[in-house]
Amino acid sequence: MNRLFGFTRKRSTRMGTNAFAATLFVIGILSVLALLLNKHSFRFDFSEEGNFSIAPQTVKILKNLKQDIKITGFVEEGTKSKEKAVDLLNNFKYQTPHIQYELIDPARRPAIAKQYGITQSDTLVLEGGKQEKRIRTINEEDLINAVVQVNQDQKKSLYFLEGHGEHKIGDSEKEGYSFAKESLEKDGYDVKTLLLLQEGKIPDNAAVLVVGGPMTQVISTEKTILDHYLSKGGKVLFLIDPESRADFDSFLKNWGAELHQDLVIDPMSRLFGGDFTIPVVNSFQNHEITREMKAPVFFPVARSFSFKKEMEAEIAFNPLAESGPNSWGETKIRSGEAKFDPGEDFKGPVTIAGAFNFKKKSEAELDKGSKWIVVGDSDFATNAFFKAAGNGDLFLNMISWLAEEKGLISVRAKDDQSTPFFLTRSQGKLFFLVPILIVPGAVIMAGILVWRVRRKR
């Protein structure tokens, strides 16, 4: 007993016991951490541009999924395609429990590949409900577009008005809307054209009608159809350019928007490398269409408009895009001179885009659902500008808001397109002075100093 008591009182025994207890304590902490991390995984992307993250719109779509989607990927072992697919699918699965995936090497399991009719590697097959979609390019944009399409039981139809010189969705030239059409189809819409006089009405399945820059007159019969459609809960995107001869002034006035006979002039545009007739909007109003937008939007040759205050009791108006404080709405469009004239021109900021809807007068009143957006420019959504900065996002968000697809309102996945790098005036001067004057000047001065020191020796 004395030996045991003496053993426990030894310094070496106490130190060994403490070390054993500390080891058990550390193992316990690590076990608890491992258990927590196994049940709740966390991810961090420390890259400045978020290169290893998925886009906010992708996250929003995935979190709003209501049905399970099974993804079967046919990729060969040991290839970069498999690494890319694993990273991307893990990112998707992390956001929602409704995504399940399996990767199969078609060379090792040819029976399953034959069952799916796979003839080419790097193919992802998405199955959800009654829908099936295949993609052969493994990237975030194509995959989330496929998820959207599989998740829809029925596509919503969008109609683009034609017959008055509007931009055409089939036109792939710079004035066309083919990029917009392609992006809308990727968002899961069925995009069609509409000749109003030929059809005699706006189709019952129209989720949204786009009036994309009419240049010739829209006759009264067509406007009556439009008026009836809007009053019965229709959704319309009006893109009306300066000096348009479509004669929508009185029509839109009845719907709360007073179009100005002007041209928006913005001296700040030159800082972005553009013309002063291309106002740049880089701060947006707090609306669900623009809330997540950070990139500026270019409006080449735009007009302004104002909300008809007399209709405030029945119509809700939210400005979406306004020009800068130094801009103005020039009323002498053809004078060839851009100069603000107080009392004649509209002082900035002026409204270029805004959203409207009816107010409910009482809780008991049924909401007709009518919504309309007015933009004083149709060129911002043409192929020439659609992929510039935030132009495409703004156009697609407007459509999503009108179509009541709130899950699609966000900033879309990054693709390989070039992204403009914008400098302020002071940053531009600094960017010029440092490499051109300051650095060479410092080198020359140092050289002169060394030469003088050596000469004195």
Side-chain angles (χ1 to χ4, degrees):
M1 189 68 184
N2 289 336
R3 285 185 178 179
L4 179 61
F5 183 72
F7 175 75
T8 57
R9 297 194 61 182
K10 284 184 178 178
R11 185 169 179 271
S12 60
T13 304
R14 290 201 305 272
M15 291 182 66
T17 304
N18 290 339
F20 181 70
T23 304
L24 283 180
F25 181 71
V26 171
I27 290 174
I29 290 175
L30 292 176
S31 300
V32 171
L33 282 175
L35 188 64
L36 288 174
L37 290 174
N38 187 44
K39 288 185 175 294
H40 308 282
S41 57
F42 302 95
R43 291 173 175 228
F44 301 96
D45 183 356
F46 294 105
S47 63
E48 186 179 0
E49 300 294 332
N51 297 324
F52 304 103
S53 303
I54 51 181
Q57 188 202 32
T58 302
V59 174
K60 187 182 284 189
I61 292 170
L62 292 172
K63 288 190 179 297
N64 287 325
L65 281 182
K66 294 177 181 173
Q67 66 172 350
D68 293 339
I69 294 178
K70 176 188 172 187
I71 303 175
T72 308
F74 293 89
V75 290
E76 294 180 4
E77 291 287 344
T79 61
K80 288 187 177 179
S81 296
K82 181 172 181 181
E83 293 178 13
K84 191 174 181 180
V86 169
D87 288 342
L88 188 57
L89 291 168
N90 280 338
N91 261 328
F92 274 50
K93 190 178 177 182
Y94 178 73
Q95 301 296 339
T96 174
H98 291 296
I99 293 284
Q100 298 297 327
Y101 78 86
E102 180 184 12
L103 296 181
I104 293 171
D105 186 340
R108 296 185 180 185
R109 301 172 71 181
I112 298 179
K114 185 177 180 181
Q115 178 187 336
Y116 277 87
I118 300 298
T119 57
Q120 181 180 333
S121 293
D122 301 345
T123 300
L124 301 184
V125 182
L126 291 83
E127 300 168 278
K130 298 178 182 177
Q131 304 284 344
E132 180 184 303
K133 177 74 180 174
R134 298 175 180 225
I135 60 171
R136 293 189 171 84
T137 307
I138 302 174
N139 60 45
E140 181 189 342
E141 186 180 5
D142 286 358
L143 183 56
I144 194 60
N145 289 330
V147 167
V148 169
Q149 292 175 36
V150 169
N151 195 45
Q152 289 178 334
D153 292 329
Q154 190 174 4
K155 288 184 176 181
K156 289 189 175 180
S157 296
L158 308 179
Y159 288 86
F160 281 71
L161 188 67
E162 287 196 345
H164 317 87
E166 295 90 346
H167 299 281
K168 295 185 181 299
I169 57 174
D171 184 358
S172 58
E173 299 297 322
K174 63 180 183 179
E175 293 297 324
Y177 272 4
S178 62
F179 288 175
K181 175 178 182 284
E182 183 184 330
S183 295
L184 289 168
E185 287 175 339
K186 286 181 177 178
D187 278 354
Y189 297 108
D190 193 10
V191 185
K192 304 174 182 178
T193 58
L194 175 66
L195 280 167
L196 208 46
L197 278 180
Q198 183 177 312
E199 294 292 330
K201 67 171 188 175
I202 296 170
D204 296 336
N205 67 343
V208 178
L209 174 69
V210 179
V211 182
M215 293 309 295
T216 59
Q217 188 172 23
V218 178
I219 64 174
S220 58
T221 304
E222 295 172 293
K223 289 175 186 169
T224 302
I225 296 172
L226 270 173
D227 191 78
H228 179 74
Y229 171 71
L230 259 179
S231 62
K232 296 296 182 183
K235 282 92 175 175
V236 184
L237 174 58
F238 294 98
L239 309 175
I240 311 296
D241 292 303
E243 298 190 301
S244 169
R245 286 179 287 177
D247 192 22
F248 264 112
D249 298 44
S250 57
F251 177 90
L252 287 177
K253 194 172 183 178
N254 291 332
W255 289 92
E258 291 185 292
L259 295 175
H260 298 165
Q261 304 303 320
D262 65 357
L263 179 67
V264 180
I265 304 294
D266 187 359
M268 289 293 288
S269 303
R270 291 194 179 277
L271 292 180
F272 293 86
D275 189 89
F276 56 74
T277 59
I278 306 178
V280 181
V281 176
N282 56 7
S283 63
F284 299 93
Q285 306 299 315
N286 185 23
H287 188 274
E288 57 188 304
I289 292 176
T290 53
R291 193 167 295 145
E292 297 182 25
M293 292 194 59
K294 295 176 182 175
V297 175
F298 299 86
F299 291 96
V301 191
R303 74 193 304 172
S304 65
F305 67 90
S306 56
F307 175 54
K308 192 178 176 185
K309 292 288 184 182
E310 296 87 338
M311 305 185 80
E312 203 169 22
E314 55 183 318
I315 292 177
F317 170 65
N318 292 283
L320 299 176
E322 293 182 336
S323 60
N326 295 322
S327 67
W328 71 91
E330 175 66 56
T331 54
K332 296 174 184 174
I333 298 178
R334 297 197 172 272
S335 67
E337 182 182 7
K339 183 173 69 69
F340 178 69
D341 295 314
E344 295 184 15
D345 297 330
F346 298 94
K347 189 174 186 329
V350 292
T351 303
I352 299 174
F356 303 76
N357 61 275
F358 282 125
K359 287 181 178 176
K360 288 177 66 175
K361 295 176 182 174
S362 67
E363 288 299 322
E365 185 182 15
L366 291 176
D367 185 2
K368 293 178 182 176
S370 305
K371 291 181 178 178
W372 59 105
I373 291 175
V374 177
V375 184
D377 175 41
S378 67
D379 298 313
F380 84 100
T382 58
N383 295 339
F385 290 93
F386 190 81
K387 294 186 177 181
N391 282 39
D393 277 329
L394 179 63
F395 177 81
L396 296 173
N397 284 356
M398 286 176 174
I399 295 291
S400 299
W401 182 75
L402 290 168
E404 298 181 344
E405 291 287 349
K406 294 185 178 180
L408 294 176
I409 300 175
S410 191
V411 179
R412 281 149 184 83
K414 302 175 287 291
D415 56 18
D416 296 333
Q417 71 187 53
S418 60
T419 303
F421 179 63
F422 299 108
L423 299 174
T424 63
R425 183 188 291 272
S426 57
Q427 288 171 335
K429 286 181 178 177
L430 190 66
F431 204 69
F432 170 77
L433 291 174
V434 169
I436 304 298
L437 296 177
I438 296 177
V439 173
V443 171
I444 292 171
M445 290 298 294
I448 293 173
L449 185 63
V450 170
W451 174 74
R452 286 178 64 87
V453 169
R454 287 183 175 177
R455 192 176 178 188
K456 286 181 179 179
R457 288 177 181 171

